Amino acid sequence: MYYVAVIDKDPDSAYGVRFLEVPACFSAADTFGEIVPNSIEALSLFFEDAEAAPPQGLETVRERVADDVANGAVLMMIPYVRDRKRNVRVNLSLAKGFLDTLDEAARMRGMTRSAFVEKAATREILDPS
């Protein structure tokens, strides 16, 4: 599930992040690269105490903030990662050669298979291009 972040930045200030779909949820970032992880954390923390609101979608939000966008605001899709604290066992089917290579890459980084797969999948979720 993705929520649309409205990102504003005034000169000499941090990036401000707000979610029209989740009005009481805000975030900030000192650099552009910190926007996504900080926003994911903000959504996760907010929804610990509140029911997840259904996303309205990019076009609906774009219409509501057209003036802000015209004045320099940027819209960005932010994934909501539910329940980041509880691990769940899953069953994946992978080619044996690929699994061997994956395990070796994880070992070289001092990681478990699960940690390696989670980190790689997180990169894909954050940068779907």
Side-chain angles (χ1 to χ4, degrees):
M1 180 175 341
Y2 286 79
Y3 288 92
V4 181
V6 181
I7 303 157
D8 298 293
K9 181 165 186 342
D10 292 325
D12 301 323
S13 73
Y15 292 92
V17 181
R18 57 193 163 99
F19 299 91
L20 293 176
E21 302 158 299
V22 191
C25 184
F26 300 93
S27 185
D30 290 327
T31 67
F32 196 80
E34 294 173 332
I35 291 171
V36 172
N38 290 4
S39 297
I40 290 171
E41 181 179 18
L43 286 170
S44 294
L45 291 171
F46 180 83
F47 287 131
E48 281 181 359
D49 297 325
E51 187 69 30
Q56 297 173 12
L58 181 60
E59 291 308 316
T60 300
V61 173
R62 186 188 325 246
E63 289 172 13
R64 290 178 58 199
V65 296
D67 290 341
D68 294 337
V69 171
N71 289 317
V74 175
L75 304 181
M76 185 181 291
M77 301 300 291
I78 303 294
Y80 165 46
V81 182
R82 284 181 224 131
D83 196 8
R84 296 172 55 183
K85 295 181 179 118
R86 183 174 58 102
N87 289 332
V88 178
R89 182 177 288 279
V90 297
N91 183 22
L92 296 173
S93 297
L94 302 170
K96 173 71 171 120
F98 179 78
L99 183 60
D100 293 343
T101 304
L102 186 152
D103 286 342
E104 180 60 25
R107 239 187 326 275
M108 288 172 54
R109 290 164 177 82
M111 300 171 77
T112 64
R113 177 191 295 162
S114 294
F116 184 83
V117 169
E118 183 176 359
K119 185 173 185 177
T122 298
R123 274 198 202 116
E124 283 300 307
I125 290 168
L126 297 180
D127 185 16
S129 58

